[in-house]
Amino acid sequence: MRRPQRRAVAKQSRAKDGDEIRLLEAWIDAGKPLPGTKPPPPSEESSAANARVRARDVVAKAAAGDYSDYGASTRFDELPLSQKTKDALRKAGYKEMSEIQRAALPHALCGHDVLGAAKTGSGKTLAFVIPVIEKLYREKWSQEDGVGCIILSPTNDLAGQIWEVVRKVGKHHNFSGGAIVKRTGIEQEKERINSLNILVCTPGRLVQHFDETPNFDCSNLQILVLDEADQILDKNFKSQVDIILSQIPKARQTLLFSATQTKSVKDLARVSLKNPEYISVHEQASTATPDNLEQCAMIVPLEQKLNMLWSFIKRHLKSKILVFLSSVKQVKFVYEIFKKLRPGIPLKCMHGRMKYEVQQAIVAEFSESTSVLFSTDIFARGLDIGNVDWVVQVDCPESVALYIHRVGRTARYNKKGKSLIFLCPQEERMLEKLKATESKIPINVRNQKWNNWSRYLRM
């Protein structure tokens, strides 16, 4: 194609985008949900064909100035989204919205701050990635505009996974971005970070750039996202988060999402939320964990925990099993010992002292095969691995929230899963917390003597 032709095509494309942006802004403003509103229960539709017809009808009416109430939408193609985003979602297989997406997207798309809480595996990532892409598109963001969005994640692995979703949803847009994690050197990042529109990173890595990268500028930031917000606002990240908040504008949209969300007025004041929409789609649910998750606890003497773990693995050689241990030393020790004993199933281990590239390779291998993965809590939050059959907790979690995040690695997206936790007699206080009514954790306790449990481990 000759240069004049390319210029003509580019000009035509910009004009088309401008028309679509004006339509989207009018549609969003006309159908803006009132504060505190939640979507009505989805109506029954007889077929996918009817849904497609309905979606085309919604878009046609909007083009004619008859804007629909998108707060009642059940499908992505019924929302006021750019055609580029809709095409990417359809190609990726995203059609029907989950509960958290139905509840959060109408508020997030019209610029409201959102404090979202939903069970693990419920689709929270799309609930903030779509508003990010759409906001920058409607603002006509380009590389020259610099950083328009920062998405903070507590771990490098989760940041990498979020970036893959951003790439998938934004593939037809022209935004630049990346996961700023330890897999690349800081010097290479410094050269390009000011030209990136979307940054997905850990708080520590972002602070490093504020300290070391000349002229690193986030003064035009449009939207800040905190994934696993309860952990990022925890004391372990406090100093880093305070530095970040001091370097970015307060006039921005802020989205906070987690499975166990904070309502602390002090925490919310720190991130300068403006009249946030608190969306907890499972707040009235009978359980805090996935509905299809079968949970069991066993009281095991400390010196017998590894024997019980070995027996369990030997009886589940055709399952994908994720085993949580509390420290890097324990992960290394159990992995090396069990590997020498050769249980008859592939074994893997993962912890925070591994290089990022190694961690990514292990996650990919575990995703694709039947195996046992021994891990620290680096794997406990957010990571989306399909078809995990069992989550086994050998060491007691520090809190009920951490227990919920651990078991959330299975029974994702309405699939079935099972979990088992070994607690020694000194840890029965945690069992009391898990069984407490307010915890909403339907856990079954096996009180047999430990030397009779091999029969139970065949479950």
Side-chain angles (χ1 to χ4, degrees):
M1 187 182 292
R2 295 177 180 178
R3 185 174 296 177
Q5 289 176 311
R6 288 199 299 268
R7 288 177 179 171
V9 170
K11 185 176 180 180
Q12 187 178 14
S13 177
R14 287 195 297 271
K16 184 178 180 181
D17 287 348
D19 291 340
E20 183 180 46
I21 289 169
R22 285 189 287 273
L23 169 64
L24 292 174
E25 287 178 340
W27 187 356
I28 289 170
D29 190 58
K32 189 178 293 185
L34 294 173
T37 57
K38 295 181 180 180
S43 58
E44 294 294 330
E45 290 294 333
S46 59
S47 67
N50 285 343
R52 287 194 296 271
V53 170
R54 189 175 70 250
R56 287 197 297 269
D57 186 51
V58 165
V59 176
K61 286 184 177 180
D66 185 8
Y67 304 108
S68 68
D69 177 12
Y70 55 88
S73 300
T74 60
R75 292 172 58 91
F76 290 109
D77 51 15
E78 297 172 345
L79 291 172
L81 303 178
S82 64
Q83 192 60 47
K84 293 176 181 178
T85 297
K86 288 182 177 179
D87 289 344
L89 289 168
R90 185 178 64 254
K91 189 170 183 179
Y94 298 122
K95 297 176 182 178
E96 297 285 341
M97 289 187 281
S98 68
E99 286 185 82
I100 185 63
Q101 292 158 3
R102 287 192 67 220
L105 281 171
H107 292 285
L109 286 172
C110 69
H112 294 163
D113 287 357
V114 171
L115 185 63
K119 296 178 183 180
T120 57
S122 58
K124 293 186 291 295
T125 304
L126 274 184
F128 61 76
V129 166
I130 291 173
V132 165
I133 297 293
E134 289 298 292
K135 188 175 185 70
L136 296 185
Y137 173 70
R138 297 199 307 271
E139 293 292 334
K140 302 179 182 178
W141 213 257
S142 67
Q143 287 193 22
E144 289 73 24
D145 295 307
V147 180
C149 170
I150 292 173
I151 302 175
L152 292 179
S153 158
T155 68
N156 290 325
D157 296 275
L158 184 53
Q161 188 166 285
I162 293 169
W163 171 242
E164 290 305 313
V165 177
V166 174
R167 285 183 59 188
K168 193 181 294 184
V169 176
K171 64 182 297 183
H172 300 306
H173 292 275
N174 295 319
F175 306 128
S176 59
I180 305 302
V181 295
K182 292 181 180 179
R183 63 179 170 184
T184 55
I186 188 78
E187 295 303 322
Q188 292 94 319
E189 291 175 1
K190 288 178 182 178
E191 296 174 2
R192 62 189 182 93
I193 193 168
N194 276 317
S195 65
L196 300 182
N197 302 142
I198 302 172
L199 300 182
V200 188
C201 51
T202 59
R205 194 61 156 181
L206 187 59
V207 168
Q208 190 175 0
H209 279 289
F210 280 127
D211 291 342
E212 300 179 16
T213 303
N215 303 317
F216 179 46
D217 181 25
C218 293
S219 60
N220 291 329
L221 190 77
Q222 300 294 301
I223 185 166
L224 173 69
V225 179
L226 273 62
D227 191 26
E228 303 296 345
D230 58 335
Q231 186 178 5
I232 289 179
L233 294 174
D234 188 65
K235 59 184 179 181
N236 294 331
F237 288 104
K238 185 180 186 306
S239 61
Q240 296 169 347
V241 170
D242 288 345
I243 291 171
I244 293 168
L245 294 174
S246 71
Q247 298 290 324
I248 60 177
K250 291 186 177 180
R252 63 173 190 272
Q253 184 179 7
T254 307
L255 308 177
L256 278 64
F257 283 86
S258 186
T260 50
Q261 189 61 274
T262 178
K263 285 186 179 180
S264 165
V265 173
K266 186 177 180 181
D267 283 341
L268 302 186
R270 283 174 64 206
V271 294
S272 304
L273 288 177
K274 304 179 293 294
N275 301 317
E277 289 294 325
Y278 179 71
I279 297 170
S280 181
V281 295
H282 299 129
E283 192 169 29
Q284 303 302 319
S286 59
T287 66
T289 48
D291 294 334
N292 293 329
L293 176 63
E294 182 182 335
Q295 302 171 75
C296 297
M298 300 176 70
I299 308 303
V300 183
L302 180 61
E303 65 275 12
Q304 295 297 332
K305 280 191 175 185
L306 291 188
N307 288 339
M308 295 302 295
L309 177 61
W310 175 260
S311 297
F312 178 86
I313 291 173
K314 289 292 289 183
R315 285 169 171 79
H316 295 85
L317 297 179
K318 295 183 179 181
S319 299
K320 184 181 292 188
I321 305 169
L322 176 57
V323 178
F324 282 107
L325 296 143
S326 61
S327 70
V328 174
K329 285 185 177 180
Q330 285 172 293
V331 166
K332 288 180 176 179
F333 174 78
V334 176
Y335 170 69
E336 292 297 336
I337 292 297
F338 280 28
K339 187 170 67 172
K340 290 180 180 179
L341 293 173
R342 298 183 179 180
I345 185 174
L347 305 178
K348 300 175 176 64
C349 74
M350 193 171 98
H351 52 76
R353 294 182 189 172
M354 290 176 164
K355 290 184 178 180
Y356 179 79
E357 295 86 348
V358 176
Q359 293 177 359
Q360 289 294 93
I362 291 169
V363 170
E365 290 173 4
F366 184 60
S367 299
E368 296 171 1
S369 64
T370 296
S371 57
V372 179
L373 175 62
F374 303 103
S375 177
T376 58
D377 285 320
I378 190 174
F379 216 115
R381 284 179 176 260
L383 287 179
D384 187 8
I385 302 298
N387 302 318
V388 174
D389 299 301
W390 281 93
V391 168
V392 179
Q393 302 182 57
V394 178
D395 290 325
C396 181
E398 295 179 356
S399 64
V400 172
L402 182 55
Y403 173 90
I404 291 171
H405 283 287
R406 283 178 172 183
V407 299
R409 298 315 97 208
T410 186
R412 299 179 69 80
Y413 308 112
N414 297 320
K415 293 181 180 178
K416 292 183 178 181
K418 296 181 180 181
S419 72
L420 175 63
I421 182 170
F422 296 147
L423 296 170
C424 63
Q426 295 87 342
E427 295 167 336
E428 289 196 51
R429 187 173 181 183
M430 173 54 71
L431 183 58
E432 294 172 5
K433 292 180 180 179
L434 296 176
K435 292 171 65 179
T437 303
E438 62 272 17
S439 296
K440 297 185 183 180
I441 297 175
I443 188 167
N444 297 315
V445 183
R446 305 292 171 170
N447 293 313
Q448 296 99 324
K449 293 182 179 179
W450 72 266
N451 54 3
N452 291 327
W453 282 345
S454 60
R455 174 171 49 84
Y456 174 67
L457 289 175
R458 293 188 181 94
M459 58 187 168

